[in-house]
Amino acid sequence: MEIITKQSPQGCNNICPTPPPLPGPAMNCRRKGSATKGNSCALTATRDLWDNLFDRGYRADVTIRTNDGGIIYAHAGVLGMASPVLRGMLKQAKGVGHKRLISIHGVQHDAVRVFIRFLYSSCYEQEEMKELVLPLLVLSHAFVVPQLKRICEQQLENSLLTLDNVVDVFQLSLLCDAPRLVLLTHRMILRNIKAVSATEGWIAMKRSHPALEKEILESMIYEEQMEKERIRKLNERKIYLQLYEAMEALVHICRDGCRTIGPCDKDLKDDQKPCTYEACKGIELLVRHFAGCKLRVLGGCIHCKRMWQLLELHSRLCADSGSCRVPLCRNFKDKVKKQFKKDEMKWKILAKKILSTKRIGGEPFFLSSKSISSY
């Protein structure tokens, strides 16, 4: 038995009404209780005319067959102007008399009806969109109706995408050339892989498209590796920033002095302003320990080893060792010429990374990152 919509092709040989104006931009239309302020009355009347033309099928010259024997009446002029694919189908369509017959199968009858109605008035009901968004996405792509396709994508992005349908939407977005939707659904799958892998959509995809499941799992592994690499680089950058701050504090103590510690020719006062160098307190403790430690000659103290390393690192960064107040700066500069090439390269790489992390372009007492490789 055929399913007939509420449309009925009616004709009147004596009266030919004025055709309605072209539809405006797409809207989520409500047929009842529409506002009538400003120009909205005209817009509402226009939409109503197009909806009535579709619903009543006045002088319809196209019959659309859908699944389960359903029939929808339409007008070739509207369909041809709204979709180049439908225009091509109408050129090849055969029919009886002035009526042409085309078929749209593969989706529900209601989805085809909502789709054809959108071609008339650029309107849709929110409840219908919520229920039929996936077949409407397929139809809008297959028949090249970009306006409806964008609406379907926006509806899915904003509210209709769930854990239960995300796998289906992901597959459809791949088939329908919707890259933004592919990205959003892919991220959602990766963030909720445990819950998504238990859904019917995942099980069906695993059974019908095992290669796609494999790609998703591989991308998940890749994302985990990228996240680990990102954390590693952040931690590495944090260390380089701490070393740079330690170099600043060391120069500050040896050149200017800081409250209770500094060069002999400086008059230090306890009531000085608080130090702005965060690493200053730690460097001060390290310098005091280095000055009084008895194990540093034998190399048995880890704190003194750290101080030696800071002094050597400073010499690598120092722009003018001749006037530098940091102890042993010139000695370490001379030592560089006698170092093995392998050790020298390690220090250069470390110095360059510290300066590039801070992104300085030539401090008063530090080299620029570009000049590290030249000395």
Side-chain angles (χ1 to χ4, degrees):
M1 179 181 295
E2 290 188 344
I3 302 174
I4 307 296
T5 63
K6 63 180 181 179
Q7 296 172 300
S8 59
Q10 298 175 0
C12 181
N13 297 326
N14 298 325
I15 301 176
C16 184
T18 304
L22 293 174
M27 297 182 64
N28 176 12
C29 300
R30 298 180 180 274
R31 299 190 184 184
K32 296 181 180 180
S34 299
T36 58
K37 295 182 180 179
N39 294 326
S40 62
C41 180
L43 293 175
T44 302
T46 301
R47 292 195 300 268
D48 289 343
L49 282 173
W50 283 102
D51 279 336
N52 289 333
L53 181 64
F54 169 68
D55 291 337
R56 297 178 183 179
Y58 178 81
R59 290 194 173 182
D61 54 358
V62 178
T63 301
I64 303 172
R65 291 193 178 275
T66 63
N67 282 2
D68 302 322
I71 291 178
I72 298 173
Y73 297 106
H75 301 79
V78 176
L79 301 185
M81 290 298 295
S83 167
V85 178
L86 287 172
R87 189 185 313 142
M89 293 175 64
L90 290 170
K91 288 180 181 179
Q92 301 176 1
K94 297 179 180 180
V96 180
H98 294 290
K99 287 189 178 296
R100 281 172 280 187
L101 176 65
I102 61 174
S103 298
I104 300 178
H105 296 297
V107 296
Q108 309 96 296
H109 172 85
D110 288 342
V112 180
R113 179 184 56 78
V114 173
F115 171 70
I116 299 299
R117 181 201 168 197
F118 184 89
L119 300 185
Y120 278 76
S121 61
S122 298
C123 292
Y124 62 91
E125 301 292 340
Q126 186 59 39
E127 288 301 318
E128 293 176 333
M129 176 61 70
K130 185 176 180 181
E131 180 183 356
L132 304 169
V133 62
L134 295 184
L136 287 175
L137 176 63
V138 174
L139 289 169
S140 62
H141 174 73
F143 291 98
V144 193
V145 184
Q147 188 181 14
L148 178 58
K149 185 177 179 181
R150 286 194 298 269
I151 292 172
C152 293
E153 291 176 7
Q154 291 170 359
Q155 290 287 326
L156 286 166
E157 291 175 18
N158 295 335
S159 59
L160 301 182
L161 193 60
T162 65
L163 293 179
D164 291 328
N165 68 8
V166 66
V167 175
D168 295 331
V169 177
F170 175 66
Q171 295 180 85
L172 283 179
S173 58
L174 287 172
L175 296 173
C176 296
D177 190 24
R180 176 177 169 81
L181 202 54
V182 171
L183 180 62
L184 292 175
T185 52
H186 184 257
R187 286 179 177 176
M188 186 173 182
I189 291 172
L190 295 185
R191 287 197 303 265
N192 305 275
I193 187 64
K194 187 175 181 180
V196 171
S197 59
T199 61
E200 294 181 2
W202 180 276
I203 296 171
M205 181 190 68
K206 184 177 180 180
R207 187 165 52 247
S208 59
H209 298 93
L212 186 57
E213 182 205 20
K214 184 180 178 182
E215 288 182 11
I216 293 175
L217 295 177
E218 288 176 350
S219 66
M220 182 181 67
I221 296 172
Y222 175 76
E223 289 288 337
E224 290 176 352
Q225 292 174 345
M226 292 296 292
E227 180 64 17
K228 290 179 181 178
E229 180 67 13
R230 187 185 69 83
I231 294 173
R232 185 191 68 79
K233 288 184 177 181
L234 286 175
N235 293 334
E236 188 179 78
R237 185 174 186 275
K238 185 178 179 180
I239 293 172
Y240 293 146
L241 285 173
Q242 289 174 346
L243 286 173
Y244 181 85
E245 291 169 358
M247 294 297 99
E248 284 185 319
L250 181 62
V251 173
H252 164 64
I253 290 174
C254 297
R255 186 186 63 177
D256 306 321
C258 183
R259 303 188 69 179
T260 60
I261 187 171
C264 299
D265 56 351
K266 289 286 183 179
D267 184 19
L268 303 176
K269 298 179 181 180
D270 293 337
D271 58 349
Q272 288 181 348
K273 295 180 180 180
C275 181
T276 58
Y277 294 93
E278 295 182 3
C280 192
K281 188 63 177 177
I283 295 297
E284 177 185 345
L285 294 175
L286 198 59
V287 170
R288 290 187 184 280
H289 170 84
F290 184 73
C293 182
K294 298 179 180 180
L295 296 176
R296 71 175 187 273
V297 178
L298 301 176
C301 178
I302 59 173
H303 301 293
C304 292
K305 284 183 178 179
R306 187 174 301 168
M307 189 65 203
W308 282 113
Q309 291 170 346
L310 289 176
L311 291 171
E312 183 167 2
L313 178 60
H314 163 80
S315 71
R316 305 277 176 171
L317 303 175
C318 185
D320 186 8
S321 58
S323 60
C324 181
R325 303 294 300 272
V326 177
L328 304 176
C329 183
R330 173 46 101 185
N331 298 60
F332 278 113
K333 284 281 188 182
D334 296 336
K335 180 184 173 184
V336 168
K337 302 175 183 178
K338 303 177 183 179
Q339 268 189 336
F340 291 110
K341 190 173 182 180
K342 186 176 181 181
D343 295 333
E344 171 67 9
M345 186 58 65
K346 288 181 180 178
W347 281 104
K348 276 189 176 182
I349 292 173
L350 176 60
K352 197 167 185 179
K353 284 188 175 181
I354 290 172
L355 293 177
S356 62
T357 300
K358 192 66 178 178
R359 290 186 175 89
I360 61 175
E363 288 287 342
F365 40 83
F366 285 155
L367 295 168
S368 65
S369 57
K370 293 182 180 180
S371 60
I372 287 293
S373 56
S374 61
Y375 71 84

